[in-house]
Amino acid sequence: VATKADVRDYDGLKSALDAGVAQLGRLDIVSANAGISTAMAPAQDLSEELWVDMVDVNLTGVMLTNRAAGRQMIEQGEGGAIINIASIAGKHPAPASPEYCVSKAGVWMLTKSLALEFASHQVRVNAIGPGFIETPMTEDFRADEQIRQRWLAMTPLGRFGLPEEVAHAALFLASDEASFYSGQI
């Protein structure tokens, strides 16, 4: 079941989650994958509004999603899997995008912290930290040849990843085959 919610609004998020549980009877898997990015700009030109928006969606939204899902899974008493979408930028900073890098680094640590907190309830929390993926969010960056070449030079396989490749990692983390994975990026 797909439901729509603003990840910055816990009550709306919880209502969407409750609607899915009402329709399906339970919650087993959640992917916290809402995220935004912006045009690269030096830190000295970064507005406070842009910083707050980035952190609100990319980090606070993940925390609120994890909290709502974790509460539901713990209440059900049968565990579950939470999969957060982080970014390689959470570990390897990119120039002119501190707001994005910091928000994604926060997702890395949030994942590890909640994995410890939820472990006794058999709720696994993991994240995927993809590199440069061919999505609409990276389209403008990929169109700029200088940025494109810089990104490709930082990518061991010399190409951009595909959304399906991230989806396959998420499917693995959601599956029983990943039953011993928690707190992993």
Side-chain angles (χ1 to χ4, degrees):
V1 169
T3 56
K4 184 177 180 177
D6 182 341
V7 297
R8 299 166 295 182
D9 171 28
Y10 182 78
D11 292 335
L13 196 79
K14 179 78 169 92
S15 292
L17 187 138
D18 289 345
V21 170
Q23 185 174 353
L24 297 173
R26 58 179 295 107
L27 178 68
D28 296 305
I29 302 162
V30 165
S31 175
N33 56 36
I36 59 173
S37 182
T38 59
M40 296 170 74
Q44 64 268 23
D45 296 334
L46 178 63
S47 72
E48 183 178 335
E49 179 182 24
L50 178 59
W51 175 274
V52 169
D53 286 346
M54 186 74 63
V55 172
D56 279 354
V57 173
N58 291 0
L59 178 55
T60 304
V62 171
M63 189 278 296
L64 295 176
T65 301
N66 282 218
R67 182 171 72 182
R71 285 177 173 171
Q72 178 66 37
M73 291 173 180
I74 289 167
E75 182 181 309
Q76 291 170 181
E78 297 180 31
I82 298 173
I83 303 147
N84 297 323
I85 302 300
S87 169
I88 193 68
K91 185 174 182 181
H92 300 285
S97 57
E99 71 287 358
Y100 185 78
C101 296
V102 166
S103 70
K104 292 304 185 172
V107 172
W108 284 58
M109 190 52 66
L110 178 68
T111 298
K112 291 177 174 296
S113 180
L114 292 181
L116 291 173
E117 185 175 330
F118 294 168
S120 64
H121 302 283
Q122 300 305 303
V123 174
R124 298 178 289 114
V125 185
N126 291 291
I128 300 169
F132 307 108
I133 306 297
E134 287 186 19
T135 66
M137 193 166 84
T138 64
E139 189 171 8
D140 290 342
F141 300 125
R142 288 182 285 116
D144 181 311
E145 192 57 31
Q146 186 177 7
I147 294 173
R148 177 182 177 78
Q149 290 307 316
R150 186 172 67 220
W151 281 6
L152 288 173
M154 293 186 293
T155 305
L157 294 176
R159 67 172 179 85
F160 293 102
L162 301 174
E164 299 83 32
E165 292 169 311
V166 177
H168 291 303
L171 288 171
F172 168 71
L173 290 172
S175 76
D176 289 340
E177 284 134 10
S179 63
F180 198 64
Y181 286 69
S182 196
Q184 300 303 306
I185 313 297

